[in-house]
Amino acid sequence: MGIETPGLRESKKRETRQLISDHATRLFIEQGFEQTTIAEIAAAARVAKKTVTNYFPRKEDLALDHHEQFTASLARAVAGRAEGESALAALRREFDAALEARDPVAGFAGPAFARMIAESPTLTARLRDLHDQREEALAGALAEAAPSPTIAPRAAAALLTAAERLLFERIQELTLAGRTNDEIAVEVAPEATHAFDLLEASLGDFAVAGAEAEA
């Protein structure tokens, strides 16, 4: 009898999780999020209902299965900023890269997916909650980078995530209008530049990596 290694077990778990997510997304798009049941998803994926809820405790997470990556994305960009780079510059650079890559985390999820979210009050509310969680995570990262005064990291996070949220919603809006990803990227690029430029005066030198060590 062969021994299943931890690596193989983890690989199987990832495959099962992806299988469930793929079937759930297909059913949500075909039938609507609110109308699709966990039992239908389990049957489509050929797993038990309990397996579905073990991997996805919330039904919304079956649709928004990149939620952990999404909520951590801004904080991770700030934590990984280069020496001498401000938080604003790091987020601007990361957004430009996401735009170039047509990254789903930035909003490039395709018309069917965007429509699924727009037509579901539950998913719309959950997405708002994820934006709020992303702001909280960013505020935590900024508090480590620039802890004083206490209100500053939260104020900076509110301003930065407002710009990021606006750009995400803009990409979704253009997607629903029938524009291609390439067309969206061309239109959003100068809009993103303008949005970040508006923050430059107030946050251009906020949370610069290495600044505290030099002080």
Side-chain angles (χ1 to χ4, degrees):
M1 179 185 297
I3 298 176
E4 191 176 79
T5 65
L8 182 58
R9 284 196 298 273
E10 286 304 312
S11 178
K12 287 184 175 180
K13 286 180 181 179
R14 285 194 298 270
E15 289 175 2
T16 301
R17 188 181 193 283
Q18 190 61 53
L19 176 69
I20 293 170
S21 176
D22 289 346
H23 281 289
T25 299
R26 176 179 59 79
L27 289 171
F28 292 153
I29 289 173
E30 290 176 357
Q31 303 177 175
F33 176 82
E34 317 293 347
Q35 292 74 27
T36 302
T37 67
I38 297 297
E40 288 174 318
I41 294 167
R46 297 185 179 181
V47 298
K49 283 177 60 178
K50 182 67 173 176
T51 302
V52 174
T53 55
N54 281 343
Y55 281 98
F56 300 94
R58 299 179 59 150
K59 183 183 173 185
E60 299 95 309
D61 293 339
L62 281 157
L64 302 168
D65 61 330
H66 295 295
H67 64 279
E68 292 177 350
Q69 182 183 353
F70 178 82
T71 56
S73 58
L74 303 185
R76 186 180 298 117
V78 167
R81 68 198 187 287
E83 186 75 12
E85 187 176 40
S86 69
L88 174 60
L91 292 177
R92 184 195 288 262
R93 174 173 51 78
E94 286 292 316
F95 184 81
D96 288 345
L99 203 62
E100 180 68 24
R102 317 299 192 250
D103 191 341
V105 174
F108 289 96
F113 194 87
R115 194 174 303 109
M116 175 189 73
I117 293 175
E119 292 176 352
S120 168
T122 303
L123 290 180
T124 300
R126 176 58 172 160
L127 186 57
R128 283 197 300 268
D129 180 50
L130 293 177
H131 278 292
D132 290 343
Q133 289 181 35
R134 190 161 71 153
E135 180 178 330
E136 291 175 12
L138 177 59
L142 291 173
E144 293 184 8
S148 182
T150 305
I151 195 66
R154 291 166 59 189
L159 291 170
L160 291 165
T161 51
E164 295 275 356
R165 187 185 304 220
L166 175 63
L167 293 169
F168 181 96
E169 291 173 351
R170 181 67 173 137
I171 291 171
Q172 293 281 286
E173 173 189 314
L174 291 170
T175 299
L176 290 171
R179 308 290 286 278
T180 68
N181 283 349
D182 289 345
E183 290 171 340
I184 293 169
V186 168
E187 185 156 346
V188 170
E191 295 177 345
T193 296
H194 183 67
F196 288 122
D197 282 349
L198 289 172
L199 298 176
E200 193 66 43
S202 56
L203 295 173
D205 58 357
F206 182 77
V208 175
E212 289 187 358
E214 294 173 2

